[in-house]
Structures are given as C-alpha cells and as structure tokens.
Amino acid sequence: MSTPPTGSRVVVVGAGFAGLYAATALDRAGHRVTLVTQGLGGMQLSQGTLDVLGYRATDERGSERVTDSLAAIDELPEEHPYRTIGADAVERGVAEFLELAADAPGAVVMRGDVRRPTLLPTAVGAWRPTAFVPVSMLAGAPEPGKHLHIVGIRQLKDFHPQLIATNLGRTPLDGVGPVESSWSSLDFLARAGEIDSSPVVYARALDEPATLSRFADRLATHVREQALPEGAVLGLPAVLGLERHPEVLSTLERASGVRIFEIVMQPPSVPGMRLNQALTRAYKAGHGRLLLGSSVVGVKSEQSAGGDQRVTAVTVHVAGGDRDIACDHVVFAPGGFESGALELDSHDQLHETALGLPLHGVLPIEELVHGDYWGAPQKLFAVGLRTDGLQRPVDETGAVVYSNLHAAGSILAGAYRWQEKSGEGIALGSARRCIDAIVETSREQTDAPAGVQGVAPREQKGA
C-alpha cells in the first residue's frame, strides 16, 4: 500500500498462524496495526501444511478419519472452538491465508481441499491427513500403482528411510491398498567435515548454487543405480532450500528425471520456516509495525458509556522498561502451552500468563494429566479461553471480559489440536472471526455520531 492507513488502532499479540494472518489482513484493510511478539512465532514448529480437521473422536479413546472436514464441524462437541468459529470463517480464513502466502516475497504455493484431507507420509512412516500442502509435498500423496522410493542422506540426522518405507508399505489405505515402497541412502556433506548436520544446515547449503549442483549430480547418479520401477517418485527429507526452494526442487527433478516430494522432519521444520518467512515478509511489506522480542505484561482499560470494559492500551515489556501501546482493538493470539502463554505452575495451578484472563476446562490435576500414553487425550491440552460469537473471552458466568479484545489460535479452549489435526484451521478461522468483528465494529463507530467514549480508567496486570 502506498497510502498510510487511517483506520482503527489494532494491537495483535503473537506471530503464529493466527497473529501473522490477522495482522497482515487488518493492515491491508487500512487499519493501523502493531504486531507484538516475544519470539519468532510458532509457524516454524509446524509441518508447513494447513490442517483443518483430520480426525474426529468416536469415544474417549478412539477416533476416526473424517471425509469432509467442514461438514464434520457440526458434529463436534459444543465446547469445541470450531462450533463458535463456524465453517464459513474457516473456509474464508484458509483461502485468504493461501492467497497471502502465494503472493508474498518468497512465495509458498499450496494445493489441497478445505473439505477433503490429503494423506502425506511422515518421518516415521505413518500417513497424516492434512488439507493444504506445499507443491513440494504433492507427489507423496498415495495413488494406486504409485511406488514411493525414500532416499536418505547418511550425514543428516533423524531421517531414517528404511523405517519410513517399511511402515508405509505395511499400512493398507482405503481405495489404494498397501503402498509399494522402497528405500536407499546416499552420502552427501552439507559442509565439509561436518557430520550429523541439521535439516536447516542442509537447506541453507542447497541454496548455494555450487552445493546444489553437486547434490544434483550425486542424486542423479544414485537414482540410476537404483533401477526404480516406472512411475516411481522420490521422497527426500524436507531440506530442499529456504530462499531458493522452487529452483532447488526443479533442479533436482530435472537431474534425477523423476518427481520428488519432501517429507517433513522434526521442528523447526524447513517448510514451516519457509511459510513463516513468506507471511512475515507479507506483513512487513505493508504499513504495520513489528515489535519483536517484546512480551505483553498487562493492559490499561476503561469503562465505556455502555458499562463494558474496553482495553485502551496494551502494556509491553521492552528494553528499558514497560511501554503502553494505545489501541482501539486487540487480537490476542499468543499461543498455548508451547509458547508459554499458558502455564501450569509448581502448585498445579493453571494461568494465562500475560493478562490473567479466566481459563476454562480447569480440573484437578489428576483429571487433567494421566500416565496412559495411548489412552484418552490429556485434558490439560484442552484448557484455554472460551469466547463469545465475536471471539471475545468470557468468564465462568459467560460475561465478556473486554469488549474490544478478541482471542484466536492455540489459546482457545476445547480442542485437542495434535490428535485432531485441526490447529491451523482453528487459528485461521478464529483469526478471520476477529478480523470480521474489528472491521464491522470500526465501520459502526465511523458511521455513529461522536459521543463520550468512556470513563473510569483502570489497569490490569498479568498474573
């Protein structure tokens, strides 16, 4: 945008899927956005794919794969965040995120279906359902007659092609049957004299033209030695470049003469890093401000003429002390336990650490955590904020805490994201609801006659 924004002042807390998407979309809608984040955001911990809903619980211990992710939302428990978010917001949020990622500098192009999950191989040889995947993973989707040949790099730690191929071949799939698979390994050093290099080291090395040329030659020779069946595709560890990924992938496919797909490894994942880079650049290309390395420690609020409490400023801890950022709206997307936004202390007490907002799903510790790894979900991970239809956190009575603070992402209560494969859908759908609420409220305030905004200021600090 060439014209500076003149809309509402919005503070977005958190730079994961929900925060980065909300900040970028609101900035493009003409609002004055400040994105506050303590770290680099959780996108780098993701698979670099978009999950919407892969599994639905059938009872306390079991689950089944869904065939239509959006239709299955209506069958989820009432306390699930999707029931408040709604299928329409999920569909719109995902579509807009995909557009932002594809148009950003360092674009990440993804393909898929918001309703029908695609199956992809994992680094342990399981099949994982997801909605949208980068084009570099598409060739790994199972099809009748397709042969998957998994190639490992001996000097790359934590990628085991024999394990992957063997497990994939053992798993019958509806409509496909057992998948034909095989494996091999080759030697290739990302950096001279270094063994057990990380995926990120390999990805950065392959961004260098000389290293890419060496690896392309090595891979081409290796493929010829394997005498692969016709129609085979190669599964490689997800290390195929960071900044020059499309060029790396096309170079290797031309050299080997076969289609290639990436298999995501442990976090930080290279595909997740690519996605994070693309969305961060999309946000920075606008007018929004970014406060990196800053933690939210409280808010200032006042009582409006209508009697509700409104946040007037977000208090941020920065070098040298605390700073208040004036705002008209807040999007609160700080993450969950993994980011430190939720905390279980040494006295078995649960807290939302930034603002002390009321948590839902809190039970005695013996009911939240159990020792049966393969048993029922750990209820601890369903603890979080409950919201109204505008994504505003509510207390135990259902009363809205702050009328202009909207919550999104992993901070929301009621979902087992890892088991359901629903994390990105919840993040983007809830962020879309936050955006809608802010845009609509701002429009109403612009159209309304000027009046008294509020009195009785007060301050709230986090627990």
Side-chain angles (χ1 to χ4, degrees), residues 296-311:
V296 172
V297 295
V299 296
K300 300 291 193 309
S301 69
E302 65 181 18
Q303 188 173 15
S304 73
D308 57 324
Q309 287 292 331
R310 293 181 56 82
V311 175

Side-chain angles (χ1 to χ4, degrees), residues 15-300:
F17 279 93
L20 264 177
Y21 162 50
T24 306
L26 287 165
D27 176 69
R28 293 189 175 195
H31 296 280
R32 292 169 286 172
V33 180
T34 300
L35 176 59
V36 180
T37 176
Q38 189 167 1
L40 296 176
M43 207 175 293
Q44 298 178 97
L45 303 179
S46 76
Q47 301 278 308
T49 61
L50 300 186
D51 296 344
V52 172
L53 185 64
Y55 294 99
R56 176 183 52 210
T58 54
D59 53 40
E60 209 174 53
R61 296 178 67 93
S63 63
E64 63 182 6
R65 223 169 44 230
V66 302
T67 56
D68 187 327
S69 299
L70 296 185
I73 286 176
D74 290 337
E75 302 171 12
L76 295 171
E78 286 293 333
E79 64 271 16
H80 197 286
Y82 268 153
R83 297 300 299 273
T84 300
I85 296 166
D88 174 69
V90 174
E91 190 167 17
R92 289 188 294 121
V94 168
E96 189 169 17
F97 180 90
L98 292 170
E99 184 177 337
L100 290 174
D103 291 343
V108 175
V109 178
M110 307 180 81
R111 297 284 184 264
D113 190 319
V114 72
R115 289 185 175 274
R116 293 170 182 80
T118 298
L119 292 177
L120 289 181
T122 72
V124 294
W127 291 100
R128 182 178 70 88
T130 190
F132 287 88
V133 305
V135 293
S136 65
M137 300 182 192
L138 282 175
E143 298 173 9
K146 180 184 285 186
H147 182 101
L148 306 183
H149 185 78
I150 313 302
V151 179
I153 302 172
R154 293 189 181 94
Q155 292 78 17
L156 173 64
K157 59 184 178 181
D158 299 326
F159 188 84
H160 307 286
Q162 183 177 12
L163 171 71
I164 297 170
T166 302
N167 285 342
L168 291 176
R170 288 174 174 169
T171 307
L173 299 174
D174 293 341
V176 179
V179 174
E180 293 184 10
S181 58
S182 55
W183 68 278
S184 60
S185 294
L186 56 80
D187 291 300
F188 188 81
L189 289 174
R191 295 191 294 215
E194 182 175 288
I195 298 176
D196 285 344
S197 296
S198 71
V200 177
V201 169
Y202 270 89
R204 295 195 186 283
L206 290 175
D207 278 337
E208 300 170 4
T211 305
L212 174 58
S213 179
R214 286 195 299 111
F215 185 65
D217 291 343
R218 182 71 190 90
L219 183 64
T221 301
H222 183 78
V223 169
R224 288 194 296 270
E225 293 170 348
Q226 303 309 306
L228 298 177
E230 186 173 348
V233 295
L234 292 186
L236 295 178
V239 298
L240 305 187
L242 273 172
E243 297 291 344
R244 302 172 60 209
H245 166 64
E247 179 184 346
V248 173
L249 178 62
S250 61
T251 297
L252 296 180
E253 287 189 328
R254 285 196 304 270
S256 64
V258 294
R259 292 182 66 196
I260 290 173
F261 66 95
E262 291 187 296
I263 299 176
V264 183
M265 299 176 62
Q266 74 280 1
S269 81
V270 171
M273 293 175 69
R274 293 180 198 134
L275 203 52
N276 182 72
Q277 286 183 169
L279 265 293
T280 300
R281 288 168 178 168
Y283 176 68
K284 288 182 175 180
H287 291 285
R289 295 190 299 164
L290 175 61
L291 297 183
L292 183 62
S294 305
S295 57
V296 172
V297 295
V299 296
K300 300 291 193 309

Side-chain angles (χ1 to χ4, degrees), residues 339-403:
S339 68
L342 298 176
E343 176 186 75
L344 178 66
D345 67 22
S346 59
H347 300 285
D348 295 334
Q349 299 299 304
L350 284 158
H351 308 277
E352 183 277 298
T353 58
L355 307 181
L357 295 170
L359 296 177
H360 292 259
V362 177
L363 298 167
I365 188 63
E366 59 271 14
E367 297 182 43
L368 289 174
V369 180
H370 60 76
D372 184 2
Y373 181 82
W374 299 109
Q378 307 283 355
K379 293 182 179 179
L380 175 68
F381 297 113
V383 173
L385 305 180
R386 186 166 294 164
T387 63
D388 70 354
L390 298 178
Q391 293 301 126
R392 300 177 298 186
V394 299
D395 63 18
E396 61 276 2
T397 70
V400 171
V401 181
Y402 296 111
S403 61

